[in-house]
Each structure stands twice: as structure tokens, then as C-alpha cells.
Coordinates of all heavy atoms in Angstrom, one line a residue:
S1 N 57.3 -15.5 14.8 CA 57.7 -14.6 13.7 C 56.6 -14.6 12.6 O 56.9 -14.7 11.4 CB 59.0 -15.0 13.1 OG 60.1 -14.9 14.0
D2 N 55.4 -14.6 13.0 CA 54.2 -14.5 12.1 C 53.5 -13.2 12.2 O 52.8 -12.9 13.2 CB 53.2 -15.6 12.5 CG 52.0 -15.6 11.7 OD1 51.9 -14.8 10.7 OD2 51.0 -16.3 12.0
P3 N 53.7 -12.3 11.3 CA 53.2 -10.9 11.4 C 51.7 -10.9 11.5 O 51.1 -9.9 12.1 CB 53.7 -10.2 10.2 CG 54.0 -11.3 9.2 CD 54.5 -12.5 10.0
T4 N 51.0 -11.9 10.9 CA 49.6 -11.9 11.0 C 49.1 -12.2 12.4 O 47.9 -12.0 12.7 CB 49.0 -12.9 10.0 OG1 49.4 -14.2 10.4 CG2 49.4 -12.6 8.6
K5 N 50.0 -12.6 13.3 CA 49.7 -12.8 14.7 C 49.1 -11.6 15.4 O 48.4 -11.7 16.4 CB 50.9 -13.3 15.4 CG 50.7 -13.7 16.8 CD 50.2 -15.1 17.0 CE 51.3 -16.1 16.5 NZ 52.5 -16.2 17.3
L6 N 49.4 -10.4 14.8 CA 49.0 -9.2 15.4 C 47.4 -9.2 15.5 O 46.9 -8.6 16.5 CB 49.5 -8.0 14.7 CG 49.2 -6.6 15.4 CD1 50.0 -6.6 16.8 CD2 49.7 -5.5 14.6
L7 N 46.8 -9.8 14.6 CA 45.3 -9.9 14.7 C 44.9 -10.6 16.0 O 44.0 -10.2 16.7 CB 44.7 -10.7 13.5 CG 43.2 -11.0 13.6 CD1 42.4 -9.8 13.7 CD2 42.8 -11.8 12.3
D8 N 45.6 -11.7 16.3 CA 45.3 -12.5 17.6 C 45.7 -11.6 18.8 O 45.0 -11.6 19.8 CB 46.1 -13.8 17.6 CG 45.6 -14.7 16.5 OD1 44.5 -14.7 16.2 OD2 46.5 -15.5 16.0
V9 N 46.8 -10.9 18.7 CA 47.2 -10.0 19.8 C 46.1 -8.9 20.0 O 45.7 -8.6 21.2 CB 48.5 -9.3 19.5 CG1 48.9 -8.3 20.6 CG2 49.6 -10.4 19.5
V10 N 45.6 -8.4 18.9 CA 44.5 -7.4 19.0 C 43.3 -8.0 19.7 O 42.6 -7.4 20.6 CB 44.2 -6.8 17.6 CG1 42.8 -6.0 17.7 CG2 45.3 -5.9 17.1
Q11 N 43.0 -9.2 19.3 CA 41.8 -9.9 19.9 C 42.0 -10.1 21.4 O 41.1 -10.0 22.2 CB 41.6 -11.2 19.2 CG 41.0 -11.1 17.9 CD 40.7 -12.4 17.3 OE1 41.6 -13.0 16.6 NE2 39.5 -13.0 17.5
V12 N 43.3 -10.5 21.8 CA 43.5 -10.7 23.2 C 43.4 -9.4 24.0 O 42.7 -9.4 25.0 CB 45.0 -11.2 23.4 CG1 45.4 -11.2 24.9 CG2 45.1 -12.7 23.0
G13 N 43.9 -8.3 23.4 CA 43.8 -7.0 24.1 C 42.3 -6.6 24.2 O 41.9 -6.1 25.2
K14 N 41.6 -6.7 23.1 CA 40.2 -6.3 23.1 C 39.4 -7.2 24.0 O 38.5 -6.7 24.7 CB 39.7 -6.4 21.6 CG 38.3 -5.8 21.4 CD 37.9 -5.8 20.0 CE 38.7 -4.9 19.1 NZ 38.5 -3.5 19.4
Q15 N 39.7 -8.5 24.0 CA 39.0 -9.4 24.9 C 39.3 -9.1 26.4 O 38.4 -9.1 27.2 CB 39.3 -10.9 24.6 CG 38.5 -11.9 25.3 CD 38.8 -13.3 24.9 OE1 39.9 -13.7 24.9 NE2 37.7 -14.1 24.6
L16 N 40.5 -8.7 26.7 CA 40.9 -8.3 28.0 C 40.1 -7.1 28.5 O 39.5 -7.1 29.6 CB 42.4 -8.1 28.1 CG 43.0 -7.6 29.4 CD1 42.8 -8.7 30.5 CD2 44.4 -7.2 29.3
L17 N 40.1 -6.1 27.6 CA 39.3 -4.9 28.0 C 37.8 -5.1 28.1 O 37.2 -4.6 29.0 CB 39.6 -3.8 26.9 CG 41.1 -3.3 26.8 CD1 41.2 -2.3 25.7 CD2 41.4 -2.6 28.1
V18 N 37.3 -5.9 27.1 CA 35.9 -6.1 27.1 C 35.4 -6.9 28.3 O 34.4 -6.7 29.0 CB 35.4 -6.8 25.8 CG1 34.0 -7.3 25.9 CG2 35.6 -5.9 24.6
T19 N 36.2 -8.0 28.7 CA 35.9 -8.8 29.8 C 36.0 -8.0 31.1 O 35.0 -8.1 31.9 CB 36.9 -9.9 29.9 OG1 36.9 -10.7 28.8 CG2 36.6 -10.8 31.1
R20 N 37.0 -7.2 31.3 CA 37.1 -6.3 32.5 C 35.9 -5.3 32.5 O 35.3 -5.1 33.6 CB 38.4 -5.6 32.5 CG 38.7 -4.9 33.7 CD 40.0 -4.1 33.6 NE 41.1 -5.1 33.5 CZ 42.3 -4.8 32.9 NH1 42.4 -3.6 32.3 NH2 43.2 -5.7 32.8
G21 N 35.6 -4.7 31.4 CA 34.5 -3.7 31.3 C 33.2 -4.4 31.6 O 32.3 -3.9 32.3
A22 N 33.0 -5.6 31.0 CA 31.7 -6.3 31.2 C 31.5 -6.7 32.7 O 30.4 -6.5 33.2 CB 31.7 -7.5 30.3
L23 N 32.5 -7.2 33.3 CA 32.4 -7.7 34.7 C 32.3 -6.5 35.7 O 31.7 -6.6 36.7 CB 33.5 -8.6 35.1 CG 33.4 -10.0 34.3 CD1 34.5 -10.9 34.9 CD2 32.1 -10.6 34.5
T24 N 33.0 -5.4 35.3 CA 32.8 -4.2 36.1 C 31.4 -3.6 36.1 O 30.8 -3.3 37.1 CB 33.8 -3.1 35.6 OG1 35.2 -3.6 35.7 CG2 33.7 -1.8 36.5
T25 N 30.9 -3.6 34.8 CA 29.5 -3.2 34.7 C 28.5 -4.1 35.5 O 27.6 -3.6 36.2 CB 29.1 -3.2 33.2 OG1 30.0 -2.4 32.4 CG2 27.7 -2.8 33.0
F26 N 28.8 -5.4 35.4 CA 27.9 -6.3 36.1 C 28.0 -6.1 37.6 O 27.0 -6.1 38.3 CB 28.3 -7.7 35.7 CG 27.5 -8.8 36.3 CD1 26.3 -9.2 35.7 CD2 27.8 -9.4 37.6 CE1 25.5 -10.2 36.2 CE2 27.0 -10.4 38.1 CZ 25.9 -10.8 37.5
S27 N 29.3 -5.9 38.1 CA 29.5 -5.8 39.5 C 28.8 -4.5 40.1 O 28.2 -4.5 41.1 CB 31.0 -5.7 39.8 OG 31.3 -5.6 41.2
I28 N 29.0 -3.4 39.4 CA 28.4 -2.1 39.9 C 26.9 -2.2 39.8 O 26.2 -1.7 40.7 CB 28.9 -0.9 39.0 CG1 30.4 -0.8 39.3 CG2 28.2 0.3 39.4 CD1 31.1 0.3 38.4
A29 N 26.3 -2.8 38.7 CA 24.9 -2.9 38.6 C 24.4 -3.8 39.8 O 23.3 -3.6 40.3 CB 24.5 -3.5 37.3
N30 N 25.1 -4.9 40.1 CA 24.8 -5.7 41.2 C 24.7 -4.9 42.5 O 23.8 -5.1 43.3 CB 25.9 -6.8 41.4 CG 25.5 -8.2 40.9 OD1 25.3 -9.1 41.7 ND2 25.3 -8.3 39.6
D31 N 25.7 -4.1 42.8 CA 25.7 -3.3 44.0 C 24.5 -2.4 44.1 O 23.9 -2.3 45.2 CB 27.0 -2.5 44.1 CG 28.2 -3.4 44.1 OD1 28.1 -4.5 44.5 OD2 29.3 -2.9 43.7
V32 N 24.1 -1.8 43.0 CA 23.0 -0.9 43.0 C 21.7 -1.7 43.3 O 20.9 -1.3 44.1 CB 22.8 -0.2 41.6 CG1 21.5 0.6 41.6 CG2 24.0 0.8 41.4
A33 N 21.6 -2.8 42.7 CA 20.4 -3.7 42.9 C 20.3 -4.2 44.3 O 19.3 -4.1 45.0 CB 20.4 -4.8 41.9
K34 N 21.5 -4.6 44.9 CA 21.5 -5.1 46.3 C 21.1 -4.0 47.3 O 20.5 -4.3 48.3 CB 22.9 -5.7 46.6 CG 23.1 -7.1 45.9 CD 24.4 -7.7 46.3 CE 25.6 -7.0 45.6 NZ 26.9 -7.7 45.8
Y35 N 21.6 -2.8 47.0 CA 21.3 -1.7 47.9 C 19.8 -1.5 48.0 O 19.2 -1.4 49.2 CB 21.9 -0.4 47.3 CG 21.7 0.8 48.2 CD1 22.6 1.0 49.3 CD2 20.7 1.7 48.0 CE1 22.4 2.1 50.1 CE2 20.5 2.8 48.8 CZ 21.4 3.0 49.9 OH 21.2 4.1 50.7
F36 N 19.1 -1.5 46.9 CA 17.6 -1.3 47.0 C 16.8 -2.6 47.3 O 15.7 -2.5 47.7 CB 17.1 -0.8 45.6 CG 17.5 0.6 45.3 CD1 18.6 0.9 44.4 CD2 16.9 1.7 45.9 CE1 19.0 2.2 44.2 CE2 17.3 3.0 45.6 CZ 18.3 3.2 44.8
A37 N 17.5 -3.7 47.2 CA 16.8 -5.0 47.6 C 16.9 -5.2 49.1 O 16.0 -5.7 49.8 CB 17.5 -6.1 46.9
I38 N 18.1 -4.8 49.7 CA 18.3 -5.2 51.1 C 17.9 -4.1 52.1 O 17.3 -4.4 53.2 CB 19.8 -5.5 51.3 CG1 20.3 -6.6 50.4 CG2 20.2 -5.8 52.8 CD1 21.8 -6.8 50.4
L39 N 18.1 -2.8 51.8 CA 17.8 -1.8 52.7 C 16.4 -1.8 53.3 O 16.1 -1.6 54.5 CB 18.1 -0.4 52.1 CG 19.5 0.2 52.5 CD1 19.5 0.6 53.9 CD2 20.6 -0.8 52.2
P40 N 15.3 -2.0 52.4 CA 14.0 -2.0 52.9 C 13.8 -3.1 53.9 O 13.2 -2.9 55.0 CB 13.1 -2.2 51.7 CG 13.9 -1.6 50.6 CD 15.3 -2.0 50.9
A41 N 14.3 -4.3 53.7 CA 14.2 -5.4 54.6 C 14.9 -5.2 55.9 O 14.5 -5.6 57.0 CB 14.7 -6.7 53.9
L42 N 16.0 -4.5 55.8 CA 16.9 -4.2 57.0 C 16.2 -3.2 57.9 O 16.3 -3.3 59.2 CB 18.2 -3.7 56.6 CG 19.3 -3.7 57.6 CD1 19.6 -5.1 58.1 CD2 20.6 -3.0 57.1
F43 N 15.5 -2.3 57.4 CA 14.9 -1.2 58.2 C 13.4 -1.4 58.4 O 12.7 -0.5 59.0 CB 15.1 0.2 57.5 CG 16.4 0.8 57.8 CD1 17.5 0.5 57.0 CD2 16.6 1.7 58.9 CE1 18.8 1.0 57.3 CE2 17.8 2.3 59.1 CZ 18.9 1.9 58.4
I44 N 12.8 -2.5 57.9 CA 11.4 -2.6 58.0 C 10.9 -2.7 59.5 O 9.8 -2.2 59.8 CB 10.9 -3.9 57.2 CG1 9.4 -3.8 56.9 CG2 11.2 -5.2 58.0 CD1 9.0 -4.8 55.9
G45 N 11.8 -3.2 60.4 CA 11.4 -3.3 61.8 C 11.4 -1.9 62.4 O 10.7 -1.7 63.4
I46 N 12.2 -1.0 61.9 CA 12.3 0.4 62.5 C 11.3 1.3 61.8 O 10.6 2.1 62.4 CB 13.7 0.9 62.3 CG1 14.7 -0.1 63.0 CG2 13.9 2.3 62.9 CD1 16.2 0.3 62.7
Y47 N 11.2 1.2 60.4 CA 10.3 2.0 59.7 C 9.3 1.1 59.0 O 9.5 0.6 57.8 CB 11.0 2.8 58.6 CG 11.9 3.9 59.2 CD1 13.3 3.7 59.3 CD2 11.4 5.1 59.7 CE1 14.1 4.6 59.8 CE2 12.2 6.0 60.2 CZ 13.6 5.8 60.3 OH 14.4 6.8 60.8
P48 N 8.2 0.7 59.6 CA 7.2 -0.2 59.0 C 6.7 0.2 57.6 O 6.3 -0.6 56.8 CB 6.1 -0.3 60.0 CG 6.7 0.1 61.3 CD 7.7 1.1 61.0

């Protein structure tokens, strides 16, 4: 029954959204990087 607790609730919500957004950004950027890192090595025997 502490009305100022809403500040902490806002922080939890913001932290939840920011964490999810940050790790989603990291994951998608990872995938893009891995695509360009692996494909040349995978096809180098076929396309020197």
C-alpha cells in the first residue's frame, strides 16, 4: 500500500521492455554477422 511504488513498477516494466529489446537486437545482429562469416567458408571449396 505504498503509492510511490509505482515508480518501481514503471522501472520493472521499462527494464523488461529494454532487456527484451536489447537482447533481440543483439540476437538479430548476431544472425546477420554469422551469415556473412560462415557462408564464404562453407562454399569456398565449391567457389574458390
Side-chain angles (χ1 to χ4, degrees):
S1 299
D2 175 10
T4 63
K5 183 82 67 65
L6 191 60
L7 173 59
D8 295 326
V9 174
V10 167
Q11 286 181 273
V12 169
K14 193 175 288 292
Q15 189 176 49
L16 179 64
L17 293 175
V18 169
T19 301
R20 189 182 294 152
L23 293 186
T24 300
T25 302
F26 184 87
S27 180
I28 294 175
N30 255 249
D31 298 334
V32 173
K34 284 183 286 188
Y35 183 84
F36 290 102
I38 299 169
L39 263 292
L42 191 63
F43 274 87
I44 199 169
I46 303 172
Y47 295 102

